[in-house]
Amino acid sequence: MAAAQHLAADVLVIGSGGAGMYAAIEAARKGRSVILADRSLIGRGGATVMAQMTVAVALDEGGLDHPEHHYADTLAAGRGLCDQAIARLLCEEGPARIREMDAWGAGWARESGDYKRAFAPGHDRARCVYVDFLNTGPAVSKTLRAQLNRIPEIRRVGDLLVTSLALSEGECVGAGALHLSSGQPVSIAAGATVLATGGLTRMYRRSSASANMMGDGYALALGAGAELTDMEFVQFFPIGHLAPRLVGMDPIMWDPFRYKLGGRLLNGRREEFIHRYGSKDEGRYVAMRDVATYAIVKEAAAGRGSPHGGVWLSFEHCSEAELRAAGGPVIDRLAANGIDLTRQAIEVAPIAHYHMGGVRVDATMATRVPGLYAAGEAVGGANGANRLSGNAITEALVFGRVAGESAAAHAARRPARAGAEVLKSEAKQLREGRGASDFNPAAMLEELQGVMQDDVGPFRTQAGLERALGWLRSLRAELPALKPAAGKAYDTALADWLDLDTMTRVGECVAAAALARTESRGAHQREDFPSMDPQWSFNQTISLEGGALRIESSAVPA
Ligand SMILES: Cc1cc2nc3c(=O)[nH]c(=O)nc-3n(C[C@H](O)[C@H](O)[C@H](O)COP(=O)(O)OP(=O)(O)OC[C@H]3O[C@@H](n4cnc5c(N)ncnc54)[C@H](O)[C@@H]3O)c2cc1C
């Protein structure tokens, strides 16, 4: 794509992870033209391609499982806050999506002709299908990319950072964007728009995120008049790699080892400790993510941590043959990093991994703004206060398909009609930068990650949350004067500034919701309110009113 452009399609899908690709495929299957836009390469930018192993789905072959069991486990993990309609949708439609992916050649692992299924914490039975150790996400992405390639009605536009949604008479009619490699603004007219921009965990100093996961969809939705829900619930993955140094491997790679071998979590004195925090894990892998995160952080804070401030994860009791059977070629990659699991434990500690909150939608994935839909991790509510392993890929596929269907139906009634003027004015604001030579947006981004980690991380206090809010709001107020001048190709300073603009807004949502929730529940833990309070059994929704956040409590949708 060269200079400034105006594009149009029936359906615009923003983000091409699992949710966005499925939405695009479904909208095209329903006969609509689609633009699938991504700030990165199509199908390679967000979390989906990085996912490791588990895809939770109640396949009922042989009467082994039923979506009702999956649903019950999802609600229990969500600590009373799951939006039941969309949690039910996730569990009930999951099997159809997994089978469709199978027909498209995903290559789910099989055993005696049936799907192989792994246990994961919080599920009452082995429920997680997978492709291979560390390879499920790449296989899911590849399968969906191959489907996209077969559908000419889907125009794929990479390198396109969507920066605003366009509204006409209260309806979403498309988006404004920056084409990163040319530096030119782009406007896109669409009959319906799907936000499939993934989560926000890149806002944290220690995270499993790719470069593109800063919560863009939440800021875009909020700016267009949609509501957000459950923004305080950021899931920390308990056993993120901490030490020794590991090059070329994912920090959450220990999960598949634990599914297969259990492994032992030990404190700095080499004692098992999770039982002290009300759960069991001894040698197996049963503690849910919120409980394990809590136990690890507390154990280290009590002075019983490992040398780098986490805890030990040990497979030393396993033979090399067992490790090889579980890890295959990964054992050689570990050896290249100087790690021999038969002789040494590794250090792990929680890292930001997933966001339970997000855009508030109904079971058709519609927001309250006509013409605007959301899908995947961008959606809040399905997992309440804590997500089960494996639910996120299923949610991406299921919600993606439903959002694509709903957007196609809306676009059939309301074809792309926005005048180029509405959209060009959206895109024009990208050119409004004045430039500030001494401002380094990349350095400021790192500072923001530190603020989020330290004050809005796994443990929160009123003082810390207020400090973070103050910092975020004062930076946000300064940002307009610090905007770099636009128009250059590959302008990383402008992209970083745009990310800061998003992250100050989204960080404010997380911190404000966390400050308001004066209890501890699931992934939201307050040092000053350490217990779960039944009076807090409701969701918090956030909207914008006159440029300021408005937080309201709302009954958990049945
Ligand atoms: C390392 C890792 C391992 C994981 N392992 C598992 C697992 O084993 N099982 C499981 O269930 N879940 C797992 N998860 C979670 C799961 O992968 C995600 O929740 C899920 O893939 C999200 O899919 P998505 O399509 O909603 O978003 P993503 O796959 O994150 O895609 C979002 C896309 O939106 C694009 N985008 C963002 N902002 C913009 C913008 N402004 N303009 C244009 N494009 C934009 C991004 O570039 C990206 O391509 C894992 C996550 C990580 C990070």
Side-chain angles (χ1 to χ4, degrees):
M1 189 182 295
Q5 276 206 29
H6 181 66
L7 308 175
D10 294 329
V11 174
L12 166 64
V13 179
I14 306 169
S16 66
M21 287 193 278
Y22 228 116
I25 291 166
E26 184 67 11
R29 286 202 287 213
K30 293 286 186 281
R32 307 269 69 86
S33 64
V34 180
I35 289 175
L36 175 59
D38 201 290
R39 58 184 291 168
S40 182
L41 293 172
I42 295 295
R44 296 176 197 268
T48 305
V49 74
M50 300 165 74
Q52 306 243 286
M53 189 170 150
T54 48
V55 182
V57 60
L59 296 164
D60 54 5
E61 280 93 339
L64 288 178
D65 202 352
H66 189 277
E68 281 301 328
H69 303 310
H70 185 188
Y71 177 61
D73 288 346
T74 298
L75 294 194
R79 315 280 185 231
L81 292 195
C82 294
D83 177 325
Q84 295 178 26
I86 60 176
R88 184 171 278 289
L89 175 68
L90 187 168
C91 300
E92 288 183 349
E93 194 176 311
R97 298 287 63 78
I98 294 316
R99 292 194 180 101
E100 182 160 64
M101 291 289 289
D102 200 23
W104 290 343
W108 305 117
R110 291 189 174 265
E111 199 167 37
S112 317
D114 194 4
Y115 294 91
K116 254 187 178 174
R117 284 163 247 198
F119 270 105
H123 292 281
D124 70 346
R125 64 200 70 203
R127 177 172 293 136
C128 295
V129 300
Y130 58 95
V131 173
D132 196 4
F133 201 86
L134 305 183
N135 203 30
T136 297
V140 165
S141 292
K142 188 174 164 204
T143 304
L144 291 171
R145 286 198 308 270
Q147 281 307 113
L148 289 179
N149 290 340
R150 297 195 180 105
I151 307 178
E153 291 76 18
I154 302 175
R155 179 171 181 188
R156 288 156 288 161
V157 189
D159 258 355
L160 200 63
L161 172 59
V162 173
T163 52
S164 61
L165 295 176
L167 295 173
S168 175
E169 293 165 13
E171 269 195 50
C172 182
V173 292
L178 171 69
H179 187 230
L180 292 164
S181 50
S182 66
Q184 296 303 320
V186 175
S187 56
I188 310 149
T193 299
V194 178
L195 287 168
T197 44
L200 53 60
T201 45
R202 177 130 195 270
M203 293 206 306
Y204 287 85
R205 188 173 50 220
R206 262 179 65 71
S207 82
S208 60
S210 83
N212 299 330
M213 294 157 63
M214 10 261 210
D216 294 19
Y218 310 135
L220 290 168
L222 202 60
E227 290 173 309
L228 306 180
T229 185
D230 292 345
M231 290 300 284
E232 61 272 43
F233 295 109
V234 179
Q235 181 167 72
F236 280 75
F237 175 82
I239 51 169
H241 187 83
L242 185 61
R245 193 159 174 263
L246 190 61
V247 177
M249 300 189 78
D250 203 299
I252 71 156
M253 59 161 290
W254 299 113
D255 230 18
F257 274 99
R258 293 212 79 201
Y259 294 134
K260 294 188 179 177
L261 297 170
R264 298 169 72 210
L265 273 179
L266 306 170
N267 67 14
R269 300 174 188 161
R270 301 269 171 169
E271 304 157 343
E272 281 172 325
F273 60 90
I274 286 209
H275 59 278
R276 293 195 197 126
Y277 302 93
S279 182
K280 294 191 197 117
D281 203 52
E282 281 74 0
R284 295 176 297 137
Y285 189 23
V286 292
M288 279 197 250
R289 288 180 176 171
D290 54 353
V291 176
T293 293
Y294 182 87
I296 292 170
V297 174
K298 282 287 175 195
E299 198 67 8
R304 296 188 294 270
S306 59
H308 291 86
V311 297
W312 295 106
L313 173 61
S314 169
F315 298 98
E316 290 156 290
H317 56 288
C318 299
S319 67
E320 186 172 347
E322 283 173 305
L323 286 162
R324 241 177 219 289
V330 175
I331 300 298
D332 297 321
R333 280 153 69 187
L334 287 171
N337 277 276
I339 298 174
D340 176 353
L341 293 176
T342 62
R343 291 165 176 269
Q344 71 190 104
I346 43 105
E347 286 181 71
V348 294
I351 49 174
H353 181 56
Y354 174 85
H355 187 218
M356 273 73 73
V359 183
R360 194 169 193 222
V361 293
D362 63 18
T364 69
M365 299 296 122
T367 70
R368 72 176 185 179
V369 178
L372 182 62
Y373 300 82
E377 195 172 335
V379 163
N383 297 286
N386 181 46
R387 171 179 71 92
L388 288 176
S389 313
N391 268 9
I393 294 287
T394 314
E395 146 189 284
L397 304 178
V398 170
F399 294 178
R401 192 207 67 76
V402 173
E405 179 178 59
S406 303
H410 186 90
R413 298 190 300 273
R414 311 275 290 173
R417 69 195 182 292
E421 306 69 44
V422 178
L423 293 147
K424 279 189 178 140
S425 79
E426 293 286 316
K428 185 173 140 280
Q429 53 177 296
L430 279 169
R431 295 200 193 271
E432 282 169 357
R434 275 161 277 179
S437 53
D438 56 346
F439 179 62
N440 179 345
M444 191 54 78
L445 230 140
E446 266 186 52
E447 219 176 297
L448 182 146
Q449 289 169 325
V451 168
M452 292 300 291
Q453 182 81 32
D454 296 338
D455 285 335
V456 199
F459 281 91
R460 294 140 180 203
T461 61
Q462 179 178 342
L465 290 166
E466 283 174 351
R467 191 164 48 232
L469 272 174
W471 190 93
L472 289 161
R473 284 176 176 154
S474 91
L475 175 58
R476 191 162 175 77
E478 286 171 33
L479 275 180
L482 300 170
K483 187 172 181 182
K488 282 190 282 171
Y490 297 108
D491 189 345
T492 53
L494 178 58
D496 287 340
W497 184 94
L498 289 165
D499 287 341
L500 269 181
D501 189 41
T502 294
M503 289 156 92
T504 46
R505 177 54 96 196
V506 176
E508 185 190 6
C509 291
V510 177
L515 183 62
R517 185 173 283 280
T518 48
E519 64 153 358
S520 289
R521 185 184 293 256
H524 168 70
Q525 293 292 324
R526 288 279 301 255
E527 300 268 27
D528 40 2
F529 297 95
S531 307
M532 190 157 127
D533 180 351
Q535 297 200 46
W536 266 101
S537 296
F538 52 77
N539 303 106
Q540 296 193 96
T541 55
I542 298 185
S543 54
L544 265 190
E545 206 171 81
L549 299 188
R550 181 187 161 93
I551 304 187
E552 288 166 294
S553 50
S554 57
V556 179

